[in-house]
Amino acid sequence: MLSSARTLTHTSSASETGSQTAAVLPTFAIVPGAWHSPAHWDLVVRDLNRAGYPTSSKRLPGVNSPTPTSVSTTTDALFIRNNVLLPLIANGKDVILVAHSYGGMPSGAAAAGLSKAERTAAGQPGGIVGLVWVAALIAHPGDSLKALAGGQYGSWVIIDVRNPVTLSSQAQGPKAIFYGDVAPPVAEHAISQLMPQSENVLSTPTGTQAWAEACYDGRRAYAHTLLDQCIPSVAQSGMLAASAVAWDVHSFDTSHSPFLSQPAQLSQTLISLARKWQ
């Protein structure tokens, strides 16, 4: 039986890397997208850990939920805030928040008021030092994934006829949509790890978004996936423009999942940003 959202966790510490400097390095908090779990990020997590960077990631409540109608975008946002971000920040950790795809929507809400600058001004330790959106939704208050998609899901999304409030993990053609340039064995393994997604999560509105805060000027980055079939490149460009704030854009000639097709390049980008933001 699959474990619950609150127990399926990937967390690594400085001691696991053997690095003498990891204790002063920021922790990467990684938020997977819809249908996905922390396991999909294993290759990037390995690279970050080898470089001495701790990581933390948990599966969102809307993925494989036993009660899919009781969860929402707000549920996911509160989960990220209370179970991923605050435990790190309460221990004085500096955090870089990395969000993929739908994960950008609840992550933006979860991060509100938790920047390093805001906490320092309040005499509190720790905080978020930067945001990295990886082919992620740049949402505005009141947005939902479904609304951003024009009010209907793509033809590749399958509603589970046995449970119509759940979007099947066997979305039509996940290889083409999520993993078009991923090596076949890696893609097959990734597809086997996909889980059902609560439809309610993707159709409920989000709240205030931290990426719009001035404290992240010079500290927000976007991994733009140019061959993306899930959130097309033109849609990503549109969201960046509509945000009306500056992003440090890094282009990847990949499909929707550079953490599987170009993990080394993505890891190096994350490490470069961490060094820049220290």
Side-chain angles (χ1 to χ4, degrees):
M1 181 178 291
L2 292 168
S3 55
S4 71
R6 288 167 175 74
T7 57
L8 199 159
T9 306
H10 281 201
T11 304
S12 67
S13 65
S15 61
E16 289 174 324
T17 67
S19 170
Q20 297 300 308
T21 60
V24 299
L25 295 178
T27 297
F28 284 97
I30 300 172
V31 179
W35 291 282
H36 288 70
S37 74
H40 288 93
W41 281 77
D42 278 353
L43 297 176
V44 169
V45 167
R46 178 200 63 192
D47 289 346
L48 294 175
N49 291 167
R50 285 177 176 174
Y53 290 88
T55 59
S56 180
S57 185
K58 297 188 178 185
R59 194 180 77 222
L60 296 178
V63 177
N64 204 39
S65 172
T67 55
T69 58
S70 69
V71 289
S72 65
T73 304
T74 299
T75 305
D76 280 352
L78 289 174
F79 181 81
I80 295 166
R81 186 179 182 91
N82 294 329
N83 294 276
V84 179
L85 297 176
L86 286 178
L88 294 171
I89 292 171
N91 284 322
K93 303 293 186 182
D94 287 350
V95 176
I96 294 177
L97 179 57
V98 181
H100 176 240
S101 195
Y102 155 76
M105 185 171 287
S107 292
L114 296 181
S115 72
K116 175 79 168 179
E118 291 168 293
R119 289 182 60 81
T120 298
Q124 298 173 318
I128 300 171
V129 299
L131 307 173
V132 186
W133 268 211
V134 179
L137 296 178
I138 304 175
H140 296 260
D143 282 344
S144 69
L145 182 148
K146 187 175 184 179
L148 289 177
Q152 60 183 7
Y153 301 112
S155 60
W156 54 271
V157 175
I158 298 175
I159 302 293
D160 190 333
V161 295
R162 297 164 300 175
N163 187 0
V165 297
T166 300
L167 304 180
S168 173
S169 60
Q170 299 305 311
Q172 183 179 358
K175 173 69 166 72
I177 298 298
F178 296 145
Y179 315 122
D181 62 336
V182 178
V186 177
E188 290 172 9
H189 183 61
I191 291 170
S192 74
Q193 294 176 310
L194 293 174
M195 300 179 189
Q197 171 66 47
S198 162
E199 192 279 332
N200 201 53
V201 162
L202 305 186
S203 60
T204 48
T206 190
T208 300
Q209 296 288 299
W211 58 259
E213 297 172 4
C215 56
Y216 289 110
D217 289 348
R219 291 179 174 272
R220 63 176 79 83
Y222 196 92
H224 188 163
T225 48
L226 302 178
L227 307 179
D228 204 314
Q229 298 300 306
C230 182
I231 303 178
S233 174
V234 65
Q236 295 178 46
S237 295
M239 290 189 294
L240 287 163
S243 73
V245 295
W247 295 77
D248 183 1
V249 179
H250 298 257
S251 296
F252 287 78
D253 287 317
T254 69
S255 61
H256 194 55
S257 305
F259 47 88
L260 292 174
S261 59
Q262 292 188 13
Q265 292 89 329
L266 180 57
S267 298
Q268 188 54 54
T269 296
L270 294 175
I271 291 169
S272 295
L273 290 168
R275 290 171 177 166
K276 178 181 177 181
W277 293 338
Q278 274 189 302

